[in-house]
Amino acid sequence: MYLFRLPDKKAIFVAALMRSVEDARLAFERAADGVEGGEQALRAMTDAYAHLMSTRPEVLLMRMQGYAAVAAAEAQGDDLIGEVVRAGWMRIWETVHLSLGADADETANFFACGMLGNTLTAIGLPASAGR
């Protein structure tokens, strides 16, 4: 089993973080695959992400733990977690950005709304609490 081949807790954390990033990225990619138009892609990705968060909240919670760990790790001279988080964020950004027709403002708005949903989910409130 892969988990037992990892050398330490940090490696396990990084592997789990990378998996959570890829799971989220794939949810966006699969939702937008074959969808014509930015508005349809936006709706498909929003629905797919909402489904992922409701059925597998650990995907979100792991990514949020990674975001929170960056500053602490870098303050101790450890850049690995920050590198993993930033590279993962850029892969997710590019997937969504291209799916939305490479419109930077639309992509930023998508993520702004998504981060509100992430925060509400993480603290146990329904997404409707942000409206």
Side-chain angles (χ1 to χ4, degrees), residues 15-116:
L17 180 56
M18 291 172 69
R19 173 67 186 265
S20 70
V21 166
E22 187 61 8
D23 286 352
R25 192 197 69 74
L26 284 171
F28 293 131
E29 182 179 79
R30 290 175 181 146
D33 188 38
V35 175
E36 296 294 325
E39 188 61 36
Q40 289 178 334
L42 178 106
R43 175 56 43 208
M45 289 188 296
T46 299
D47 291 347
Y49 190 67
H51 177 74
L52 180 64
M53 293 306 93
S54 68
T55 60
R56 295 185 51 216
E58 70 276 4
V59 172
L60 164 64
L61 297 175
M62 186 66 223
R63 286 193 340 274
M64 292 191 84
Q65 183 65 39
Y67 300 158
V70 171
E74 289 182 348
Q76 295 179 356
D78 182 354
D79 295 333
L80 177 62
I81 293 171
E83 290 169 9
V84 168
V85 167
R86 287 185 286 274
W89 173 258
M90 291 309 301
R91 285 192 307 275
I92 292 172
W93 172 275
E94 285 300 316
T95 298
V96 170
H97 185 63
L98 294 175
S99 297
L100 293 177
D103 181 306
D105 289 337
E106 191 171 2
T107 305
N109 189 48
F110 177 85
F111 280 106
C113 292
M115 291 304 286
L116 173 59

